[in-house]
Amino acid sequence: MRSPVSPSNHVTAPSPLAMADGRPAAAAWSLSSKITHLNHGSYGAVPLTAQAQQSILRRQMEASPGEWFPALPEKIAAAREEVAGFLRVCSADLAFVPNASGGASVVYTSLPVQAGGDVLVTDHGYGAVTMGAERLAHRWRGSLRTAHVPLDADADTAYEAVISEVNESTGLIVIDHITSATARWMPVERIAAEGRRRGIPILVDGAHVPGLAEEPVKGVDCDFWIGNLHKFACAPRGAAVLVAGSRLRDELFPLIDSWGAKHPFPQRFDSQGTCDASSYLAAPAAFAFIEDTWGWTTARTYMRQLADYAEQTVAAAMSEATGEDCRTDVGMPVSALRLVRVPAPLAATHDEADALRDRVARELNVAAAFTSFEGQGYLRLSTHVYNTAADFEYFAERCVPVLKAWARAASNGDQS
């Protein structure tokens, strides 16, 4: 067993970011001061400026819906141009979808039937996206194949683990860009290139990538790429993109049939009846706020440095409390997402991890993500510009001892 994190490996906490008027960065969000927010990676946080912009748009919609909705496709097209610029992709390849899972559903329902075709996923896949892949395989009268990728796998090992499961029946490969439960990158560039060589369509789930990578899709020659704008890019919730650059994009149709169906991709996605599209239209305001206030490069650097400090601080506290090394060897770690092992038997399954998340929020007033992989529970740390070192020091000092007590009680059969 490795020793807990030692002082020789000490990481200094970055200086907290501030607004131009000297206020702390958290002042730009309407986050409750009663809750310590350590789970940006799940639900994001919307800057007040973007919230205000969305409120203005909604008031315009309600004031005169008869004018709003006929003019909406043109407004969405303009927003697509701005979002495409932020993501560094061609606007003709980008369509708005409500979330990344919705983008995956568009792909699953639009792809031509491949009788007997298998769908290949990994054991790190996001549950909802994997369930959709399983339904697709069932409709194709094929099988869902799952590639096992060790948590500590480097890029070469992860690539081989996925490609070794590809065979002549593989009709679609679904691969995470950043995994949700295990907070690691996958070598999607190489996997996509091999899929292209073999003529196998590739769907890349980049739910967490917008905002974390300057050019999210650069070098990823896939057929479909989906990404949430509400996570690290801080757009209003209900805003995501589907990027499709190959000829298969002509097969894609929205989940809702509407009057735009006669248009080509992506224009056919701009008309969705009376759906509230204000989250799409307000997304650029969130991107611009962070760029104008700190700059995205500065923000990303701060998130990475704070994650280094948070991971070490919480892992050291957890290791000291349990007498075990709670650091986690993640093969391709993510800048603003990190894993720390929690003591067994906590969060051993997905349902137990969600229950622990809810209990920590209810009893400790901390919004944190807990995940599970291969029967081991983890705390998934997230950082953004409104977080400071004090947030994670608080968790290490006040919450880690409670988790240890809960683990001891669970081991003794006390589930209260």
Side-chain angles (χ1 to χ4, degrees), residues 31-32 35-45 232 306-307 310-311 313-314 318 336-339 357 360-361 364-371 379-384 386-400 403:
L31 295 167
S32 171
I35 300 173
T36 301
H37 294 270
L38 306 181
N39 187 21
H40 186 94
S42 287
Y43 303 106
F232 288 95
L306 182 57
E311 180 183 14
T313 299
V314 176
M318 201 80 77
L337 289 171
R338 306 296 173 86
L339 291 187
R357 173 202 63 199
V360 167
L364 302 179
N365 291 326
V366 173
F370 293 89
T371 68
L379 166 66
R380 192 192 70 184
L381 301 170
S382 301
T383 59
H384 214 284
Y386 57 81
N387 289 122
T388 68
D391 295 331
F392 301 96
E393 291 164 355
Y394 173 85
F395 189 92
E397 178 181 351
R398 304 295 293 274
C399 301
V400 166
L403 290 177

Side-chain angles (χ1 to χ4, degrees), residues 111-131:
L111 278 178
V113 173
Q114 300 191 43
D118 294 340
V119 181
L120 176 61
V121 300
T122 78
D123 53 355
H124 296 253
Y126 186 65
V129 173
T130 297
M131 285 187 277

